[in-house]
Structures are given as C-alpha cells and as structure tokens.
Amino acid sequence: MQKLIQVLWPSFLVAAVVEAVFFTVIDPQALYLLGEPVHYDPLTTYSIGFLAFWLICAASSLTTLYFQRTADEINHPEAH
Amino acid sequence: MNSTAPNPSPKAPPPPEGDTLYAVRQKVYVRAVTGLFANWRWALVWFTQIVFYGLPWLQWNDRQAVLFHLTERKFYIFGWVFWPQDVFFLAILLIISAYALFFFTAIAGRLWCGYACPQTVYTEIFMWIEEKIEGDRNKRMKLDKAPMSPRKLGIKAAKYGAWGAVALWTGFTFVGYFSPMSELLASVATLGFGPWEMFWILFYGAFTYLFAGVMREQVCKYMCPYARFQAVMFDPDTLVITYDEGRGEPRGARRKGVDSATAGKGDCVDCGICVQVCPTGIDIRNGLQYECIGCAACIDACDQVMDKVGYPRGLIRYSTENAIKRGWGTKEIIGHVFRPRTLVYGTVLIAICVAFVWGLATRDPLRVDIIRDRASLGREVAGGMIENVYRLQVMNMTEVPRNFVFDVKGINGIQIAGDHRVAVEAAATQAVTLQVLVPYDAGKPGANEIVFEIHPEDDPSLKLFEKTTFLFPR
Ligand code: SF4
Ligand code: SF4
C-alpha cells in the first residue's frame, strides 16, 4: 500500500502540471493520432491525455522504486 | 484507553514500517473544540465553500459567470474571456499565489494550512458529520472497539452515506467549473452525463472522500508538497503556535483551586486536552513540529482549561521564537512583523499585483494573427498588379459582436481587393482571406515590409497594427 501511494501520488502531481502546461500550449484539435487528425471531442482528449501522463509518470516512479532497492534486499528477498 | 488518554505522542518510538497507508498509523480521534480560532476556522469553511459550491451557479452576460470551458478553450471569469494566448495572465496569477503564500507564511506560519486549505476545510466538514452521527470522541472510540452489531452497522452506514453525498456533490460542482452547469444539470435526472464527465465527478468525489474521510492528517504529513518546504520561510520572528514552556513546566496534575506556586509546578495541568484536539495527533508541548498545521485548535482547548482552573489564558498561543526567548509582549511582536524578509516578499507581491491589474486593464480587446498563403506567392494579376494572399485570424475578445475594418500600408499604391470588413461574433474567432494588390513596379523583388491596420468599426481610435511581408516575384 505504501509503495502504491509512493508510485501513484507523485506521478499524479506531476501529471496534473504536465496536463495543464501541455494543453495550454497545444490545442487538442490540432493533434494527430497515428497519422489521422484526432476526432474525439476535446473533453475525451484532455481526459485520455491526463491518464496517459499519469501512467507515464507512474512508470517513472515505479522505476525509481525498483532501482532503489539495496543490495541486501536483492540478495535476501525473503527477509523483506 | 480511558477518556483523557492522549493520542500517541510523537516521543514514542516510531512504529515499525508496515503495509498500510504510508506509515503505521494509530487512528487519531479528534476531540471537537470551540473558541475564537475554531470560529475563524468555521468562518473560512463557510466562506470558501459558499464560493466553491456557489460560483458555478452564478450567471453573467447570459452565461455562466465562472467557467473554464475546456471544449471551447476559453476561460470565462465574470466580464473577462481568456484565451490560450492569455496564458501569461495565468502564469502571473500562479506567481502571485506563490508570493502570497511566502508572505503569509513568513508572518504567521501555516495560516493557509490551518484555515483555508481544502484539505483542512473538507476534513473539518467530514469530522463535523462524524461527530453529529457517531457522537463525541469517547463515543466514537467506544463504537470502534465494539463488536459489529446492527446498531453499529446502521451508524457507520449513515456516516459513510453522508460522506458519500457530500463527496459526490463536491465532484459534481468541480466538473461544473469545466463543463457548463446548465448542461450538467439537464443530465442529472437521467444520469445522462457524458462518460468523461461521469468519470471526473466520481474521480474527484472519490478523492474528496478518501482525503477528508480516511487519510486526513496523513495527507498533510506525507503527501503535501508545501508542508515539506514551508519551514524555509520561517524565521525567529514568525508567529507560530507555541507552548510557553517556561510558564507551563514542570507540568503535572493538582487539586482544583491550588495555584501553581503552591503546588510547586508550572501552569500546565497535564490534562492532555491539547493533544486530543489536535487533528494531526501531535503534542505541541514538544515544540514546533513539521506536522503542526497551525490550526490553533490546541490554543482554544488550552484556553478553556486555563479558564476552568483559574489561570491566565495563553499557555499555548501565537507567539514567535524571539518573543518567547526574550519575553516580548504583543507590541514587540508586532514591531518585528516588518523585517527585511517580509518587506521583500511584500514589495514583490505588490509589484506583481500591480503588473497584473495593469496588464488586465490594458489588454487588447482585439487580436489578429496573420498567416501568409504559401500556395500563391506574389502572383501577377490583371492590370499590372502583383497579388499576395493573407489569411487573418481575427479574435474579438469582447462580449459583443463587432465589425472590424482593415487597411494596409507600406508600399505606394497598395490596396485590399474586395471587402475590407469582417463581422466577428462575441468572444469568437473569425478567419478572413484578404487579397492585397500592389502595382508591379512599386517594390523591390523579394520581401517588402507592409503593415495591416485593423480597427473596430464603432471605435476607430482603437487601432491594431500587424506587420508582415509582401512578396514580389524575382
Ligand atoms: S491543554 Fe494546556 S494544560 Fe492541558 S495539557 Fe495541554 S498545555 Fe497542559
Ligand atoms: S499542535 Fe495545535 S495548532 Fe498544531 S496541528 Fe495540533 S492542534 Fe493544530
């Protein structure tokens, strides 16, 4: 649980900032998806955008956690 | 645990790390408190929530007064309409908020946390509901210890239900800031919200429920970025909630009516009430701690205890490190409010606010973007003229439909072919295509600078100039 929040919360904060900056600068109607202009309504694009940013940031947090394990934790996983 | 047992004191050895939310947490049973600062807190709960829940319902110019219309990419705030091009104002607003936070923190600590932060406000509302349904602190602790029974189930269900209702309403209001309230309202009866509107109502509602009902002080302790760095804005002259150790120690119980000197003790009767009322479950008598959100609940609580035992109030009070060390009174404390740090924060804050207001007041009610039509660079047309085609995006920032008139200057004999005018709806963008003609011998081959001049038909004094280039064939 603790690990889960450590992954999800910082990524949520960063995703919120990225979402605001990204969509202030870029009009969702001006985006292209796989070579086709995006035809979703803007609310959908914003929402998917946010969830995608969150996912990406969470992946980064997860990687941090993964590399943070000490040698001891890797050598003796059953003790932790 | 008897009724006066304090919440776990931070002096106790830290509990081992476990598999719960952040740290192993002993549930904090907060005792309700009344008094001067509690009244301030409630005043701010009312104020912020009337604004938050009320604003999306307000009308202005036949539209929602405050609406961050994501689909249109326009922010409506009373008489103003902001476009993505106005991001500058948003940036300044953020800087102002940051400086205001620095300023108030330097003067009086975590005022924001204690009184105005949504986390505090919603926790306050959720705790009030809890108190109304489950009863006071003792009853709540007893209820939680009791085995499950129909009665317990009923009480708990009522509480969770009430919390859920507030949370849902909060989520609905939140979405009402981004999607027009009138459309949302029309969908309520049938629950026919768009899928993403539904998603965000539930998402924000769930966050409210989780933060204010379940996690509470843990949000402040482990999740809040501000709580982590606020201490750098503190200095020895910052007003913080302080326990007057010199006056209170040695603490200890005594019989009623005995004064401290006779009992050979300090003024603290060690009743533990200040700990019970603390929403973060700390003991302020251990000194300033980063967990303390500055809510002043312990001041109210201790003042009541002091009244009861007949000692002067203020054993716990707003004071500064210097004041406690040097025995300053109110006058010296106020005298030290103005010091280099607060003066710098204050000056910067005022300067940015002035810049913001000035920028807003002088904002152009009209904006034009010019895009050259690349397909037809400098074409020769009949009558020995060279033609360039321009596409203009005309933005009418006002809330009335307007006609705009174009003119062009910069080369002898330059003129616009056809209509010189365009009508633009209120707060809308209109694309216009303009053909500009110049006699073939009036300019040099290549780029020649020209200027478009645009003004509203009803106000010729308001002129906008846009530079661009006119191309002659080589
Ligand atoms: S409320 Fe006041 S008297 Fe009671 S324990 Fe706290 S500081 Fe001491
Ligand atoms: S120590 Fe006092 S001011 Fe600080 S959080 Fe607890 S009750 Fe509020």
Side-chain angles (χ1 to χ4, degrees):
Chain A
M1 188 68 185
Q2 187 188 3
K3 294 240 162 76
L4 196 68
I5 299 185
Q6 275 171 350
V7 170
L8 290 183
W9 180 244
S11 49
F12 176 85
L13 291 180
V14 177
V17 175
V18 175
E19 164 96 356
V21 173
F22 184 85
F23 284 114
T24 313
V25 181
I26 289 167
D27 185 333
Q29 305 293 42
L31 289 174
Y32 280 78
L33 184 68
L34 305 177
E36 296 278 319
V38 169
H39 53 256
Y40 305 129
D41 76 297
L43 190 61
T44 310
T45 315
Y46 291 129
S47 306
I48 293 177
F50 176 74
L51 296 178
F53 287 140
W54 194 6
L55 206 68
I56 295 166
C57 296
S60 162
S61 295
L62 194 67
T63 317
T64 307
L65 269 194
Y66 178 71
F67 284 123
Q68 221 179 22
R69 293 185 307 160
T70 59
D72 186 46
E73 280 171 307
I74 298 170
N75 291 333
H76 308 282
E78 65 289 343
H80 292 276
Chain B
M1 199 182 260
N2 70 34
S3 64
T4 54
N7 288 309
S9 126
K11 266 188 179 163
E17 295 245 322
D19 208 25
T20 54
L21 290 174
Y22 274 98
V24 167
R25 166 196 189 218
Q26 210 151 349
K27 187 165 169 185
V28 180
Y29 289 92
V30 181
R31 179 186 174 122
V33 66
T34 53
L36 175 65
F37 296 106
N39 291 344
W40 270 109
R41 270 198 317 281
W42 275 109
L44 273 148
V45 169
W46 280 105
F47 174 72
T48 53
Q49 294 318 293
I50 285 174
V51 170
F52 175 75
Y53 290 118
L55 260 191
W57 299 101
L58 223 60
Q59 295 290 309
W60 188 276
N61 285 351
D62 293 326
R63 54 156 172 88
Q64 196 167 320
V66 177
L67 177 63
F68 307 114
H69 204 311
L70 292 184
T71 315
E72 288 182 7
R73 287 178 73 70
K74 270 182 238 158
F75 287 3
Y76 298 93
I77 300 172
F78 295 98
W80 287 291
V81 183
F82 292 95
W83 306 56
Q85 288 87 340
D86 290 312
V87 61
F88 163 77
F89 288 101
L90 187 70
I92 296 214
L93 208 59
L94 287 178
I95 298 176
I96 291 180
S97 317
Y99 261 93
L101 199 62
F102 294 175
F103 181 68
F104 287 113
T105 308
I107 289 183
R110 296 173 71 173
L111 282 180
W112 163 258
C113 302
Y115 299 93
C117 176
Q119 177 61 24
T120 303
V121 166
Y122 287 105
T123 303
E124 198 103 3
I125 295 173
F126 274 52
M127 288 200 301
W128 179 84
I129 293 174
E130 188 169 63
E131 173 109 2
K132 286 288 159 229
I133 293 177
E134 289 193 350
D136 62 18
R137 181 171 186 265
N138 294 334
K139 287 201 187 129
R140 292 204 299 275
M141 291 202 287
K142 227 192 255 157
L143 186 73
D144 279 0
K145 273 217 201 104
M148 190 43 90
S149 67
R151 181 179 157 270
K152 180 168 172 177
L153 191 71
I155 293 178
K156 289 280 174 195
K159 177 176 87 172
Y160 296 142
W163 280 1
V166 174
L168 269 186
W169 188 246
T170 310
F172 179 78
T173 308
F174 175 76
V175 172
Y177 277 91
F178 300 98
S179 259
M181 208 42 148
S182 49
E183 290 168 28
L184 280 186
L185 202 62
S187 335
V188 166
T190 56
L191 284 183
F193 303 112
W196 286 108
E197 280 156 358
M198 194 67 160
F199 172 81
W200 289 112
I201 292 175
L202 293 177
F203 188 86
Y204 198 81
F207 256 76
T208 309
Y209 187 101
L210 195 69
F211 277 28
V214 184
M215 299 179 71
R216 294 192 178 168
E217 83 285 353
Q218 306 208 83
V219 175
C220 307
K221 278 157 90 166
Y222 306 109
M223 295 167 74
C224 174
Y226 170 65
R228 297 268 147 172
F229 72 84
Q230 36 91 17
V232 301
M233 287 164 279
F234 280 48
D235 60 33
D237 287 317
T238 299
L239 273 174
V240 286
I241 317 274
T242 321
Y243 165 71
D244 191 339
E245 208 175 312
R247 191 186 137 190
E249 301 296 315
R251 65 184 82 159
R254 66 213 62 183
R255 273 208 318 283
K256 226 185 154 182
V258 181
D259 69 49
S260 311
T262 337
K265 297 201 172 104
D267 277 356
C268 173
V269 299
D270 207 9
C271 61
I273 306 255
C274 53
V275 184
Q276 291 177 19
V277 299
C278 178
T280 66
I282 59 168
D283 187 342
I284 191 66
R285 294 173 300 172
N286 296 337
L288 184 63
Q289 295 144 69
Y290 99 91
E291 293 96 325
C292 172
I293 57 168
C295 69
C298 51
I299 300 188
D300 282 336
C302 189
D303 277 348
Q304 285 173 4
V305 174
M306 291 295 110
D307 287 354
K308 231 181 262 162
V309 296
Y311 300 158
R313 288 178 162 209
L315 177 56
I316 303 177
R317 62 175 184 272
Y318 272 107
S319 187
T320 70
E321 196 187 317
N322 276 339
I324 292 279
K325 227 184 344 198
R326 316 207 170 131
W328 287 348
T330 318
K331 225 175 97 202
E332 286 101 330
I333 293 181
I334 292 176
H336 281 80
V337 165
F338 298 103
R339 51 188 188 272
R341 180 190 286 259
T342 56
L343 289 178
V344 169
Y345 286 160
T347 318
V348 175
L349 186 59
I350 291 171
I352 310 176
C353 286
V354 169
F356 184 76
V357 173
W358 182 78
L360 214 52
T362 57
R363 199 168 72 116
D364 289 328
L366 157 70
R367 213 170 278 167
V368 174
D369 281 343
I370 300 182
I371 309 146
R372 294 189 46 99
D373 188 345
R374 286 193 202 162
S376 62
L377 291 182
R379 198 163 63 98
E380 266 195 72
V381 292
M385 303 291 256
I386 307 291
E387 182 201 68
N388 273 204
V389 179
Y390 301 86
R391 287 185 16 93
L392 279 74
Q393 288 282 345
V394 184
M395 282 168 253
N396 175 10
M397 323 284 277
T398 61
E399 289 205 73
V400 280
R402 268 180 143 174
N403 286 329
F404 295 98
V405 184
F406 298 93
D407 199 2
V408 62
K409 300 224 165 89
I411 306 177
N412 272 337
I414 191 166
Q415 53 173 287
I416 297 171
D419 201 1
H420 292 209
R421 286 186 316 166
V422 61
V424 188
E425 292 293 305
T429 310
Q430 179 70 48
V432 217
T433 308
L434 291 182
Q435 287 145 286
V436 176
L437 301 175
V438 173
Y440 72 98
D441 55 355
K444 60 180 193 319
N448 292 256
E449 207 162 85
I450 59 165
V451 181
F452 279 104
E453 210 184 278
I454 306 110
H455 66 83
E457 207 170 32
D458 53 16
D459 182 7
S461 68
L462 199 150
K463 274 206 177 88
L464 192 74
F465 298 95
E466 281 294 325
K467 267 193 207 147
T468 181
T469 52
F470 188 95
L471 293 182
F472 275 87
R474 290 181 194 266

